[in-house]
């Protein structure tokens, strides 16, 4: 089908702008096809060649970037000059912005991604973190105590309006594009989400070029939902505004395969999920629980996830147990700890130095826990 005039140009520029750096013809073509459907490689190549010096610079054989003055954006260095901040076992944690890190990493260098991103867009900003630490105001709230137990702070999702949702979509689309770049074909992506927003994550990341493969349901009772109508609970005692949430969805995607599953397994060590045992395939419903107190004490982060769940997901994410698992929103390093526990190589990125400090000791301690309170 004929493409709208200018659509190939917009798609190429959009991709190069998102990665903020340079891309090869193959990467650019992949991004254009992911966005626009089948597009002839020759039209992409000729558009790039005809516009060298105008919109693009050629920075090596078959490699292009936007001209610095052609758009209002900041070019990233070709390679961020970062040393590993923390190395524990087979895990490396960098203190960086993961979007910058992803844009400057070599392509096809990561075999799976397991991560728990920020959702409110706001909740991990310096300002909101300061309010959380002071225990006053902002998007963090302490749920009412229940059965006498003190609750940990939770961010309010209801503060997201339509505009925030659009921003969230843009955030996850950009994340999908950048992740797609560094993953090897067939690489799995598992992203923590919530029932109100998982559809946005799935659609935005698939617009970024990843393929949606379903969801993993973490069976955990959260304190969300189930409440009677605010200020009218006596009048409507039999009504809950929303169902009490009993699960946390983790969106499953992958970089599309090149060839058959068996080819991907042979050449890239990706293309499936590692089985639990001969008899048991990995399953998409996992009985879980709140993160145990012991783990929250080792890793004081408001969103720390339990080792019992993470170890199962991380283990399954590399079908042959070979390769590197990435967590670009590493927080306290719980995914890296889980990777160490199952013997995998891992890389984490965390932008907040306070959480990098937490992770320094938490990766070791969480990773070496023997009794992880499985359900
Ligand atoms: C929901 S938390 C993840 C917590 C993690 N699951 C754990 O068990 O500790 C998200 C983390 O992403 C970090 N973050 C937010 N934006 C980031 C970015 N652009 N690059 C890297 N880290 C970021 C936040 O500081 C926060 O620690």
């Amino acid at each position: 089908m004929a493409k709208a005039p200018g659509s190939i140009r917009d798609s190429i520029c959009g991709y190069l702008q998102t990665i903020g750096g340079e891309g090869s013809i193959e990467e650019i073509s992949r991004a254009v096809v992911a966005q626009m459907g089948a597009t002839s490689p020759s039209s992409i190549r000729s558009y790039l060649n005809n516009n060298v010096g105008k919109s693009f610079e050629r920075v090596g054989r078959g490699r292009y970037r936007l001209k610095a003055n052609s758009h209002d954006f900041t070019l990233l260095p070709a390679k961020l000059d970062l040393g590993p901040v923390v190395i524990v076992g087979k895990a490396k944690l960098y203190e960086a912005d993961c979007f910058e890190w992803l844009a400057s990493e070599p392509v096809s260098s990561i075999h799976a991604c397991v991560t728990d991103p920020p959702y409110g867009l706001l909740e991990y900003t310096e300002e909101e973190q300061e309010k959380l630490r002071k225990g006053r105001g902002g998007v963090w709230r302490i749920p009412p105590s229940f059965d006498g137990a003190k609750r940990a702070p939770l961010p309010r999702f209801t503060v997201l309006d339509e505009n925030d949702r659009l921003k969230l979509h843009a955030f996850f689309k950009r994340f999908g594009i950048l992740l797609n770049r560094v993953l090897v074909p067939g690489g799995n992506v598992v992203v923590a989400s919530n029932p109100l927003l998982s559809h946005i994550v799935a659609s935005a990341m698939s617009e970024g070029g990843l393929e949606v493969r379903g969801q993993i349901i973490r069976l955990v009772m959260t304190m969300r939902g189930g409440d009677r109508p605010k200020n009218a609970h006596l009048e409507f005692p039999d009504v809950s505004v929303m169902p009490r949430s009993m699960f946390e969805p983790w969106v499953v995607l992958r970089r599309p395969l090149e060839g058959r599953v068996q080819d991907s397994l042979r050449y890239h060590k990706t293309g499936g999920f590692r089985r639990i045992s001969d008899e048991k395939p990995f399953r998409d419903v996992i009985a879980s629980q709140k993160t145990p107190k012991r783990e929250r004490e080792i890793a004081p982060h408001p969103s720390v996830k339990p080792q019992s769940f993470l170890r199962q997901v991380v283990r399954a994410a590399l079908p042959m147990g070979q390769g590197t698992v990435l967590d670009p929103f590493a927080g306290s390093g719980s995914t890296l700890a889980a990777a160490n526990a199952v013997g995998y190589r891992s890389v984490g990125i965390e932008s907040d130095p306070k959480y990098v400090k937490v992770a320094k000791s938490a990766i070791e301690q969480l990773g070496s826990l023997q009794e992880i309170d499985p359900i």
Side-chain angles (χ1 to χ4, degrees), residues 96-98 116 118 124 301 303-305 328-329 331-332 334 350-351 355:
D97 176 293
C98 69
D116 171 25
Y124 285 100
H301 186 294
S303 312
V304 63
K305 299 287 179 191
F329 299 102
S332 63
S334 55
E350 169 57 48
S351 58
Y355 293 137

Side-chain angles (χ1 to χ4, degrees), residues 94-100 115-119 121 123-125 129 140 171 192 250 291 299-307 310 327-335 349-353 355-356 358 366:
Y94 294 91
E95 184 184 314
D97 176 293
C98 69
F99 290 92
E100 293 183 7
T115 195
D116 171 25
Y119 270 89
L121 298 169
E123 74 248 28
Y124 285 100
T125 56
Q129 284 292 299
W140 293 89
F171 176 92
W250 288 57
T291 306
H301 186 294
S303 312
V304 63
K305 299 287 179 191
Q307 286 296 297
L310 283 175
D327 183 352
F329 299 102
S332 63
S334 55
T335 309
I349 320 296
E350 169 57 48
S351 58
D352 187 330
Y355 293 137
V356 172
V358 168
L366 290 176

Side-chain angles (χ1 to χ4, degrees), residues 59-372:
V59 284
R61 230 184 128 203
R63 299 189 69 79
Y64 299 84
R65 63 193 289 167
L66 284 172
K67 266 188 80 164
N69 60 359
S70 67
H71 281 261
D72 179 22
F73 74 104
T74 321
L75 284 177
L76 293 175
K79 178 86 192 146
L80 282 181
D81 191 14
L82 285 174
V85 180
V86 181
I87 299 184
V88 184
K90 292 184 171 183
K92 276 186 190 171
L93 175 67
Y94 294 91
E95 184 184 314
D97 176 293
C98 69
F99 290 92
E100 293 183 7
W101 187 88
L102 287 166
S104 66
E105 263 309 281
V107 295
S108 303
S109 51
I110 298 291
H111 300 79
C113 170
V114 176
T115 195
D116 171 25
Y119 270 89
L121 298 169
L122 286 174
E123 74 248 28
Y124 285 100
T125 56
E126 243 172 71
E127 198 185 325
E128 291 294 336
Q129 284 292 299
E130 200 49 47
K131 287 180 188 164
L132 167 65
R133 282 168 194 135
K134 285 197 179 128
R136 262 203 326 268
V139 299
W140 293 89
R141 70 186 174 96
I142 313 283
S145 69
F146 182 65
D147 292 345
K150 202 170 159 250
R151 299 280 150 194
L154 282 174
R156 276 186 283 137
F157 289 121
T158 45
V159 294
L160 291 190
D161 60 19
E162 186 51 29
N163 193 29
D164 292 329
R165 273 190 257 276
L166 288 174
K167 280 200 224 147
L168 202 68
H169 189 280
F171 176 92
F172 278 101
K173 181 169 171 183
R174 182 163 179 240
F175 179 44
I177 290 173
L178 289 168
L179 198 53
N180 204 8
R181 216 189 130 258
V182 301
L183 281 170
V184 302
N188 287 319
V189 178
V190 186
V191 185
S193 186
N194 69 68
L196 296 180
L197 300 173
S198 58
H199 63 293
I200 300 182
V201 178
S203 76
M205 292 186 78
S206 76
E207 280 177 34
L210 296 164
E211 186 186 354
V212 177
R213 300 286 292 163
Q215 297 198 337
I216 293 168
I217 301 302
R218 175 181 164 218
L219 286 180
V220 59
M221 196 169 110
T222 71
M223 286 304 289
R224 294 181 201 290
D227 298 332
R228 296 188 175 88
K230 202 170 168 187
N231 301 329
H233 56 285
L234 294 178
E235 195 179 346
F236 303 104
D238 297 335
V239 176
S240 294
V241 181
M242 281 178 59
R244 158 69 75 82
S245 187
M246 304 294 286
F247 74 99
E248 181 177 78
W250 288 57
V251 178
V252 180
L253 308 104
R254 73 175 175 201
R255 179 172 157 193
L257 292 176
E258 282 174 7
R260 301 168 298 176
V261 169
Q262 54 182 282
D263 302 322
S264 193
L265 287 167
R266 269 182 215 117
Y267 300 122
H268 301 297
K269 315 296 175 206
T270 59
F273 286 87
R274 192 166 176 189
R275 297 177 69 93
I276 296 170
S277 67
D278 244 10
E279 302 75 41
K280 277 196 205 162
F282 178 64
R283 298 162 173 182
D284 63 6
V285 177
I286 299 181
S288 187
Q289 61 187 339
K290 263 186 56 192
T291 306
K293 186 159 174 261
R294 184 174 50 154
E295 292 177 34
R296 285 186 278 124
E297 282 170 358
I298 292 174
H301 186 294
S303 312
V304 63
K305 299 287 179 191
Q307 286 296 297
S308 56
F309 173 79
L310 283 175
R311 290 184 189 180
Q312 296 181 56
V313 174
V314 168
R315 182 183 180 281
L318 294 180
M320 303 181 62
Q322 294 172 40
T324 301
V325 177
L326 171 71
D327 183 352
F329 299 102
S332 63
S334 55
T335 309
L336 276 60
N340 270 347
V342 300
Y344 291 177
R345 209 165 51 227
S346 64
V347 178
I349 320 296
E350 169 57 48
S351 58
D352 187 330
K354 294 196 183 73
Y355 293 137
V356 172
K357 210 165 153 205
V358 168
K360 258 185 190 164
S361 62
I363 296 173
E364 168 93 66
Q365 291 183 62
L366 290 176
S368 51
L369 287 177
Q370 298 293 326
E371 303 274 315
I372 50 163

